[in-house]
Amino acid sequence: MPGIAQAQSAVSRVITHRPIRASVRLQALQHNFAQARRLAGEARTWAVIKANAYGHGQFQVARALQGLSDGFALLEVENALALRAAGLTQPMLLLEGFFAAEDVPVLARHDLTAAIHCREQLEMLAAAEARPARAYIKLNTGMNRLGFRPADLGAVRQQLERLGIRDLTLMSHFAGADTPEGIETQRQVFMQAAAGTGLPLCLANSAALIRYPEARGDWVRPGIMLYGGSPFAETPADALGLEPVMTLESRLIGIQELRAGERVGYGGTFTAPGPMRIGIVACGYADGYPRHAPTGTPVAVAGHPSRTLGRVSMDMLVVDLQDMPEVRVGAPVTLWGVGEGGRVDADAVAAAAGTISYELFCALAPRVPMEWR
Ligand SMILES: *Cc1c(COP(=O)(O)O)cnc(C)c1O
């Protein structure tokens, strides 16, 4: 159908006046990185920038951390190549290795390090005409997602070395670094497997880095903490010295005066207990705001802490304007982060919606314009 591409580029050229915006504070990102670096001690750091840097923009994030991080960890070869093309020369780690044999020579050519976690990847390496000199060996120490059994480590290492891949690092991933169960069982399995191999070790995500100094190893892999999210349900990010990086904000596009007994939104799940003033915000689940956020989810309006009311719709949600008689259409609303509307903890919004800030950040919709400051 000719015309769609032209129509789309015409839309993208128009300045949008719908008031929703996301912004990313790169200084806060750098501050959070410095926190991770301090906790890492002597260990080197992979800044985890998978999923478009948890929704924050992989190019901008990588640039902001370029002189700071020892390397970048992500998933897809094509994103690593795009970052190489953008001038990033740092080491890059593909956390799940490669997904197809044709990517193996590409790793070699662009100096990308792959995590090798299964036999099929070993076979693809063996069949390739060019191979990288470096790899991570991923061990399954109890999470039962990706990785070789520790008992197979010797054989895997031998195969890799026979293929000329001799610069090896041992990695694993914790299932419970953010839970009361902790990491000790998995850490012991890992340390036993690593004992006597002389290989460098790479273990800690944000939660382990913050909570378990004994799991630092030679390389750490912080993700969420760089973006100002707390990995722990019970500890707010500011108590960990982290600053919010992403702000999602919008404005009121309507106001309603309710009488007692009137209901709000789809399904009428909120009923006004008395006369009340409510505000309609240009932000809905099609923008990435969680539809499961119930009445009472924190929000800030024109500098006042407030709450959502009723169900989140595709393009709008509703907020309580109690004690804000001065507020009019156009008033600023902060959905999360630090904006003109006020300050709202993304982890608190996520908790209210039964999820984690990781998901909120990653789910931010492409239709929301983003700026980097
Ligand atoms: C995503 C990921 C991380 C980062 O985890 P955070 O909890 O965001 O710090 C580290 N290691 C691996 C293998 C990952 O997939």
Side-chain angles (χ1 to χ4, degrees), residues 116-132:
I116 307 300
H117 63 80
C118 66
R119 302 238 147 256
E120 289 73 10
Q121 287 176 326
L122 291 175
E123 286 159 19
M124 290 189 249
L125 283 170
E129 82 269 17
R131 285 181 281 272

Side-chain angles (χ1 to χ4, degrees), residues 13 16 23 46 53 74 126 133 159 168 182 211 281 338:
R13 261 184 275 117
T16 174
S23 56
W46 293 110
L74 67 165
Q159 278 193 53
L168 297 170
R211 199 165 267 178
V281 183
V338 190

Side-chain angles (χ1 to χ4, degrees), residues 48 50 54 75 95-96 138 145 171-173 203-207 221-225 227 231 358:
V48 180
K50 63 188 178 189
Y54 293 44
L75 290 196
L95 289 164
E96 298 177 1
K138 180 146 187 181
R145 219 170 46 173
M171 83 181 276
S172 195
H173 195 54
L203 270 172
N205 58 0
S206 299
R221 306 189 303 268
I224 192 67
M225 68 180 296
Y227 308 102
Y358 296 71

Side-chain angles (χ1 to χ4, degrees), residues 10 15 25 36 72 74 99 112 163 214 227 252 258 274 296 298 356:
I15 295 165
R25 289 196 309 147
F72 295 97
L74 67 165
F99 304 98
L112 308 174
L163 294 170
E214 68 273 26
Y227 308 102
L252 294 187
L258 302 187
I356 50 180

Side-chain angles (χ1 to χ4, degrees), residues 297-343:
T297 299
V299 61
V301 184
H304 306 269
S306 183
R307 59 175 181 147
T308 64
L309 301 172
R311 272 200 197 133
V312 173
S313 342
M314 185 183 286
D315 311 305
M316 287 176 268
L317 57 79
V318 179
V319 293
D320 193 347
L321 298 181
Q322 198 184 0
D323 303 326
M324 300 177 216
E326 79 287 2
V327 162
R328 300 279 174 270
V329 164
V333 178
T334 302
L335 286 316
W336 61 72
V338 190
E340 234 190 294
R343 189 182 175 108

